[in-house]
Amino acid sequence: MPGFHQTSSTIAIAGHPLHAMSVAFPIALTFCTFGADLFYWWTGDGFWARAALWAAGMAFLIGVAAAFTGTLELLFVPGIRARAAAWTHAGIAVVLLSILGTNWGYRLYGYEDAVLPYGILLSGFSVVMVGATGWHGGRLVFDYHLGTSDTGN
């Protein structure tokens, strides 16, 4: 298959893949949303509901940017595009983004009322989906060396 072994990142700055750099923020913010929901449930303090609103929104928005860079890698690097595992990772990531967007949208008008029960359920499911997406993405990088750079090897 032509280009099957062309797997180095093309969407990079100085050899550092943008997708790998950008996914850390949505992952962390997804966990922050769930944590803030748990603290709101525990304390009843509106600060935590407001913090969850902001964390959910930024997880979604930065996640869209990370998805954009990942999509560019998927489309422009033949060795990534040729592997079914990359498409699986992309599919799960799209579902995750849908959940993150739903979670944020649900909270926009009445963030305190949105936490229990559906906000915290969406947050918990987002954490599970981040685990699934991250596991597949990590496997692509660490096991198959997809999307990494040839610089420095």
Side-chain angles (χ1 to χ4, degrees), residues 19 33 69 75 124:
H19 181 67
T33 304
T69 59
L75 296 177

Side-chain angles (χ1 to χ4, degrees), residues 34-106:
F34 186 56
D37 282 347
L38 290 174
F39 279 125
Y40 177 76
W41 186 22
W42 185 33
T43 67
D45 186 351
F47 165 79
W48 293 112
R50 193 169 52 255
L53 166 72
W54 281 96
M58 293 311 295
F60 174 70
L61 293 174
I62 299 171
V64 168
F68 179 72
T69 59
T71 301
L72 291 176
E73 290 283 2
L74 185 66
L75 296 177
F76 293 136
V77 180
I80 295 174
R81 188 175 55 246
R83 289 173 167 82
W87 292 95
T88 303
H89 171 67
I92 296 170
V94 167
V95 172
L96 171 61
L97 276 178
S98 299
I99 296 165
L100 291 174
T102 300
N103 197 6
W104 180 42
Y106 183 66

Side-chain angles (χ1 to χ4, degrees), residues 70-146:
T71 301
L72 291 176
E73 290 283 2
L74 185 66
L75 296 177
F76 293 136
V77 180
I80 295 174
R81 188 175 55 246
R83 289 173 167 82
W87 292 95
T88 303
H89 171 67
I92 296 170
V94 167
V95 172
L96 171 61
L97 276 178
S98 299
I99 296 165
L100 291 174
T102 300
N103 197 6
W104 180 42
Y106 183 66
R107 296 165 188 271
L108 281 175
Y109 303 101
Y111 52 87
E112 285 190 50
D113 293 332
V115 174
L116 296 172
Y118 299 111
I120 200 166
L121 290 172
L122 285 168
S123 296
F125 189 56
S126 296
V127 166
V128 171
M129 291 302 295
V130 160
T133 307
W135 185 83
H136 282 283
R139 185 140 194 230
L140 290 170
V141 171
F142 298 116
D143 292 351
Y144 304 124
H145 306 288
L146 300 183

Side-chain angles (χ1 to χ4, degrees), residues 19-41:
H19 181 67
M21 290 190 298
S22 61
V23 296
F25 290 102
I27 291 169
L29 288 165
T30 300
F31 279 89
C32 288
T33 304
F34 186 56
D37 282 347
L38 290 174
F39 279 125
Y40 177 76
W41 186 22

